[in-house]
Every structure is written in structure tokens, then in C-alpha cells.
Amino acid sequence: MDAPAVYEQLVGQSQAVEVLTRAASAAAQMIDGSGPGTSMTHSWLFVGPPGSGRSTAARAFAQALQCQFGGCGTCPDCHTVKVGTHTDVHVVAPEGLSISVKEMREIVRVAAFQPSGRRWQIVIIEDADRLTEGASNALLKAIEEPSPHTVFLLCAPTTHEDDVSVTVRSRCRVVSLGTPPADAVAHVLINRDGIDPEIAQWAALAAQGHIGRAKRLATDPNARKRRQTVLSVPLRLVSMAGCLQAADELVAAAEDEAKQISESLDAPEKEALSQSLGAGGTGKGAGTAARGMAGQIKELERRQKTRATRVQRDSLDRALVDLTGFYRDVLLLQVGAEVALAHEDHREQAAEVADLVSQAWVLRTLDRLVATRTSLEENVKPRVALAALTTALRLPAR
Ligand SMILES: [Zn+2]
């Protein structure tokens, strides 16, 4: 069976696509009364590592459910779901660090409405692992007793209870996505984005299966420069001073990236908000309006600040993923595995480290990298976490 067109963006996930295709066609039969489809799963949980396409899968499934052709990719339903203007599809994507209970209650309220089309009222929650406890409880109530036309599509890194509460998880049908193979990622970069095959192949490997990251590496010189800085770190960790300096540089690079991204987003948002609030006005009630406006601007600034923190944290996490790939390469060289390295262009450096340390040292290092990523997620100050990491990764004197 050929997969519906909407799943084209979903790279290397044929198993998940099959499950979703079957579910959508059963759902359509149920609505048309044309076949044996009798029940619909109202809550789905899409899990997979970053870049595997969790939210892409959820959106494609939403398209397939709303499309009268099962996900053609071109009809008005498919199109409006894709661009985010479909009246019966609601996307919750936190800009800050978490999804609040207020936000969730509102979305649950809307989700209970009759769909305006003939099909479903769909709620996509892009980062279900960022629900506050209150929001998670509000959601649980909705998925325990869903209205007959409502479908919840949740996305999270794993089914672990740190990401999704056990009770929410138990109500969902899980769709697992894997890390797509480098060849499949390269294929997309070449065919979808028109990227030169040689660069695409390199970027796909370097991004370790993360499609968005692969595209950035292939197209953005700043992203390549940052990666270069990160991968120069391991061999520089030879003295205490060197370790602390490397930690500082990694944090500074993340701060820079966050600043760059924030600056490009913040000012236009603020401008748009003041315009929509109609800055100025002297008539009756202008005082009250001005006070309300100040409140809204303050709220926007608060959200922009949490977003900046998030961007900085994501940027550091990416650096740690790159380093993890590097030390995994070191291990591969030590055991003499004949496979492509994640950072093939840093093979020499990896070989140099491989000569200096034992396999046990590398395994400890990989554990430490995982622990550091976790502690950053738990709000440990980046400078503290990174300094602890780099000093632990100090190389023995040669
Ligand atoms: Zn369609």
C-alpha cells in the first residue's frame, strides 16, 4: 500500500506510518458508515528522540483524519491543517518552559465543541513533557472522558513518567518513532531542500538523525561554526584552566545564539502587540486602556524571557549531543568498529583521544554527558553544570 502523501515528510518511519494510515482509514469508514470501522482511539502519544519527527507525525495524522481523501496533502483541509488555520485543529506549543494550567483548561474547553466540519475536533500538544502538573491533570480529565468527536495527539520524547504522567500515558495509544537513518535524512535534504548531495550526506551524519539540525548544518554557516567550536573542546581539556575556559566558551556561545534569535523575534512581536492595542488615545477610558496595555506588554516580555532561556538551554543541549557523538566515535575507534563516524570530519581528533584514554573512561564520559543534559533540564545553572562536566573530562597528561 502506498502511504498517503501527507506522510512524505516523515522520514524512515514506515512502521508508524502504517499504523496511522490504518487508523485513519478505519476512522473515515466509521464517519462515512462505509465499512467496519467502529471505534476511534481518542488519545495518541507520539514518542521518539528529538528530530525523529514527533510533531510532524502528529500533524500529518491530523491532516489524514480531516482529509476526505485520507491525507492527499493538497485539498483545503490538508492545507489548512498544515499552515495552522484549520478551525478544528488546535496546536499547543509552549514558547516558554512549560504549558500552564490556564492554557490547558482553555484548550480542553474548546476541544469539547462539535467540530465545524464533519469530522474531528483535534488537539495537538507538541511538548506534552512540558505540561505543568496542573495542566497535566486538566488534560487527564479530558482524555478520560473524551467527547465522541475529540482526538488528542500528544508528543513527547519518551513514555517515561518523567515525560508523561503514568495515568495520561495509560489512556493513550503509543506511536513510536525511531532515529531516522542518515541515508534517509540525506535523501530528504537532497530532494526536498535541493541541497548538494555531498553536503547533504555530511550534514545527515553530523546531525545524528536530527533532520532539522541536518538542514541547519547544511545551510547555515553560523551553525557550522558553532559545531566546530564544540568539537574542538575535547582535545583542549588538558589543564584545569583550559577546562574552565572551555565551559565558559560553551555557555557564552549558547547565550549568543539565544540573544541572536531573541533579538530577531522580540522587537517585531512587541511592535505588533502595541499596534493591535492601538497605542495612544486620550479619550474617556484611555487611562484604563493604558493600564491594560502595560499589563499585556509585561506579559509578552515575560514570555519572551522564558523563551530566551529555552533557546539557550536547547543550544547547550545541542552542544552536548555533538560532544556525545564525538565520544561515541572515540569508543568506536577504540573497539575497531568499521562504521561511519558521526563526526567523520573529526576522525583524527577522535583517534587522538582514543589513544589517550581507556574504554572505561569513555563510557564514564558518555554517562556524564547524559547526567549533564539531565541537570540542565532540572535548572542547574549552565556555568556550574558545564564546569563540572569539562573538569571531569580532563585528559590525562601525555
Ligand atoms: Zn487532503
Side-chain angles (χ1 to χ4, degrees):
M1 169 176 61
D2 259 0
V6 286
Y7 297 114
E8 257 163 35
Q9 305 284 318
L10 210 56
V11 183
Q13 313 288 356
S14 49
Q15 234 176 340
V17 168
E18 216 182 296
V19 169
L20 297 173
T21 306
R22 236 183 275 133
S25 83
Q29 287 176 359
M30 190 172 86
I31 285 178
D32 305 339
S34 65
T38 48
S39 71
M40 172 66 182
T41 306
H42 290 274
S43 311
W44 296 74
L45 175 59
F46 294 82
V47 296
S52 57
R54 299 184 297 246
S55 55
T56 309
R59 268 168 213 268
F61 188 43
Q63 285 177 300
L65 286 174
Q66 302 290 26
C67 170
Q68 55 172 319
F69 312 105
C72 66
T74 47
C75 73
D77 280 313
C78 283
H79 179 73
T80 48
V81 173
K82 186 177 174 193
V83 299
T85 54
H86 197 289
T87 44
D88 295 333
V89 177
H90 317 275
V91 179
V92 186
E95 287 222 319
L97 294 172
S98 59
I99 301 169
S100 70
V101 61
K102 200 171 126 202
E103 232 173 313
M104 187 50 68
R105 281 208 187 112
E106 173 60 19
I107 211 85
V108 161
R109 194 179 66 81
V110 172
F113 294 165
Q114 271 297 335
S116 49
R118 303 178 46 231
R119 293 172 171 261
W120 308 97
Q121 190 72 260
I122 300 179
V123 177
I124 301 176
I125 301 174
E126 285 202 337
D127 297 89
D129 53 312
R130 293 187 202 162
L131 294 171
T132 61
E133 203 184 330
S136 179
N137 288 336
L139 172 67
L140 181 62
K141 257 189 229 142
I143 64 178
E144 269 176 341
E145 291 165 39
S147 52
H149 298 283
T150 308
V151 180
F152 288 94
L153 308 178
L154 282 56
C155 310
T158 69
T159 55
H160 191 272
E161 58 182 304
D162 287 348
D163 286 337
V164 186
S165 83
V166 177
T167 37
V168 168
R169 191 223 160 288
S170 69
R171 303 277 168 179
C172 294
R173 179 159 175 200
V174 176
V175 179
S176 293
L177 304 166
T179 300
D183 280 346
V185 174
H187 186 80
V188 174
L189 296 187
I190 296 165
N191 293 306
R192 183 192 68 188
D193 303 323
I195 288 165
D196 174 78
E198 206 173 314
I199 293 174
Q201 205 68 45
W202 166 82
L205 264 177
Q208 300 168 66
H210 191 306
I211 298 170
R213 168 100 174 119
K215 186 178 174 187
R216 266 194 305 281
L217 282 175
T219 53
D220 177 3
N222 281 326
R224 282 202 288 275
K225 219 168 88 195
R226 273 193 291 271
R227 169 176 175 272
Q228 204 61 32
T229 310
V230 169
L231 292 177
S232 76
V233 163
L235 274 176
R236 290 169 49 209
L237 304 178
V238 286
S239 68
M240 186 53 98
C243 292
L244 294 175
Q245 197 192 349
D248 269 349
E249 283 176 20
L250 287 172
V251 175
E255 282 170 352
D256 258 9
E257 188 180 6
K259 200 170 146 221
Q260 215 179 49
I261 293 177
S262 297
E263 273 170 1
S264 68
L265 295 173
D266 288 0
E269 278 175 359
K270 216 165 178 177
E271 175 68 29
L273 178 64
S274 343
Q275 291 225 342
S276 78
L277 293 171
T282 49
K284 209 176 161 194
T288 327
R291 274 195 297 283
M293 189 161 108
Q296 290 196 44
I297 289 180
K298 222 171 169 181
E299 170 64 19
L300 175 68
E301 284 171 346
R302 190 190 58 77
R303 270 192 289 125
Q304 289 180 335
K305 212 175 145 209
T306 16
R307 179 176 61 202
T309 311
R310 183 81 234 169
V311 172
Q312 189 190 330
R313 207 184 275 181
D314 287 348
S315 162
L316 264 186
D317 192 61
R318 229 167 11 249
L320 294 175
V321 170
D322 279 345
L323 285 176
T324 304
F326 179 88
Y327 288 105
R328 216 181 284 137
D329 288 347
V330 171
L331 193 62
L332 288 173
L333 292 171
Q334 285 178 326
V335 299
E338 298 204 355
V339 293
L341 301 182
H343 304 298
E344 196 56 57
D345 52 351
H346 286 68
R347 179 179 277 270
E348 256 173 64
Q349 290 91 326
E352 215 173 305
V353 174
D355 282 343
L356 285 170
V357 298
S358 66
Q359 287 178 28
W361 187 97
V362 181
L363 289 171
R364 268 201 310 278
T365 292
L366 290 170
D367 281 345
R368 265 184 203 285
L369 282 158
V370 174
T372 306
R373 293 177 69 190
T374 310
S375 63
L376 286 174
E377 269 306 315
E378 285 165 355
N379 273 330
V380 174
K381 286 244 177 305
R383 276 207 160 69
V384 175
L386 268 287
L389 175 72
T390 53
T391 48
L393 266 47
R394 185 172 163 184
L395 295 169
R398 36 190 128 182

